[in-house]
Amino acid sequence: AGVSMADVGDVDVRTVDLRENFDIITEAARLVRRNCRVPVFVGGDHAITFPIVRAFDDTPLTLVQFDAHQDYTDEKHGVRYSHDNHMRRSSELPHVKQIVQIGLRGVIERFEPWEAAQRDGVVIVPSERIVREGVPAALSALPGATRDKAYVTIDIDVLDPASAPGTGYPEPGGITYYQLKEALLLVAQRYDVIGLDLTEVDPIYDAAGVTPRIAAKLLLDVLGGVFAR
């Protein structure tokens, strides 16, 4: 009640220049921020999170990530900006004060990203802990003060691929839609969520169209939690 929503269209990205696209995304995010209470961004490649978070540089943030994968690689094959690096690059932004990673379960290919996250004080809640303990217990120690400002990024592969197959890097296991919804509502209650994105939905891999429907419903769920106050 009392909330209006608007689709402001797509960001006009270039074909091949990733760094230029990041600049374009950051400027677009700043434009949207000036005109709405809670901007929502939809991908696409999870690399978009870094340039979006960069647009919130006037506000100290807790960055809350729902994902099967850590995305904390520093460099791989000479690449430092991709869907595998965006959380590492975001951690280097001065206004990102804390990172929370929820739902991790991907196979560790290299120890460096995990060790770096531990060194940097990243709070990690694996999906298995949510399944075993339940959402409230698993997320009972979320960091920061109540109503700290937070940005939420959701990779759809945090869900079990049995329920959300439409993604490029599915991992066995994962949490259910209801567990993710409960976790998102808990985060919305705990923090002042000032922006969010949902990424890595690929309808090509889901002929039944289940994954896009779940993604759309999750966005409404978390917005309902944000505006419930």
Side-chain angles (χ1 to χ4, degrees):
V3 177
S4 62
M5 302 173 67
D7 181 353
V8 298
D10 299 330
V11 177
D12 184 21
V13 297
R14 306 294 183 258
T15 303
V16 295
D17 193 329
L18 187 65
R19 298 295 293 276
E20 182 184 4
N21 285 336
F22 279 5
D23 291 341
I24 294 170
I25 291 170
T26 298
E27 290 308 308
R30 286 185 173 134
L31 174 65
V32 175
R33 281 197 67 203
R34 289 197 294 269
N35 293 280
C36 73
R37 163 69 176 85
V38 181
V40 177
F41 307 91
V42 180
D45 196 293
H46 208 167
I48 67 170
T49 296
F50 166 68
I52 293 171
V53 170
R54 196 167 57 178
F56 289 77
D57 56 358
D58 59 340
T59 305
L61 282 180
T62 296
L63 179 53
V64 182
Q65 173 194 11
F66 290 86
D67 205 320
H69 308 97
Q70 198 168 24
D71 299 345
Y72 213 79
T73 299
D74 185 27
E75 182 177 312
K76 189 174 183 178
H77 305 305
V79 176
R80 301 185 76 247
Y81 295 89
S82 75
H83 61 254
D84 195 32
N85 310 88
H86 66 94
M87 294 302 291
R88 187 67 163 267
R89 299 288 81 83
S90 296
S91 74
E92 297 165 352
L93 297 171
H95 65 289
V96 175
K97 302 303 181 183
Q98 178 70 63
I99 292 178
V100 182
Q101 298 183 316
I102 302 171
L104 301 188
R105 65 186 186 279
V107 175
I108 296 179
E109 299 176 358
R110 294 186 296 166
F111 285 105
E112 193 278 333
W114 179 268
E115 292 168 349
Q118 298 286 314
R119 179 200 67 214
D120 295 342
V122 175
V123 175
I124 298 172
V125 182
S127 62
E128 187 174 358
R129 184 177 173 193
I130 294 174
V131 173
R132 290 182 180 275
E133 301 178 12
V135 172
L139 301 187
S140 61
L142 287 174
T146 301
R147 307 309 294 163
D148 278 357
K149 295 188 183 302
Y151 181 92
V152 176
T153 177
I154 308 164
D155 186 323
I156 200 67
D157 70 19
V158 72
L159 291 172
D160 191 308
S163 60
T167 189
Y169 292 89
E171 292 285 351
I175 59 178
T176 68
Y177 160 76
Y178 282 113
Q179 288 168 326
L180 179 53
K181 176 182 177 180
E182 185 179 8
L184 287 166
L185 293 179
L186 193 153
V187 167
Q189 184 180 35
R190 176 74 166 74
Y191 298 103
D192 176 14
V193 176
I194 61 173
L196 64 136
D197 66 54
L198 192 152
T199 67
E200 296 294 333
V201 174
D202 192 339
I204 291 176
Y205 293 111
D206 184 357
V210 174
T211 311
R213 288 175 180 270
I214 288 178
K217 183 64 165 59
L218 285 168
L219 290 175
L220 292 174
D221 289 336
V222 67
L223 286 172
V226 169
F227 288 103
R229 294 176 176 269

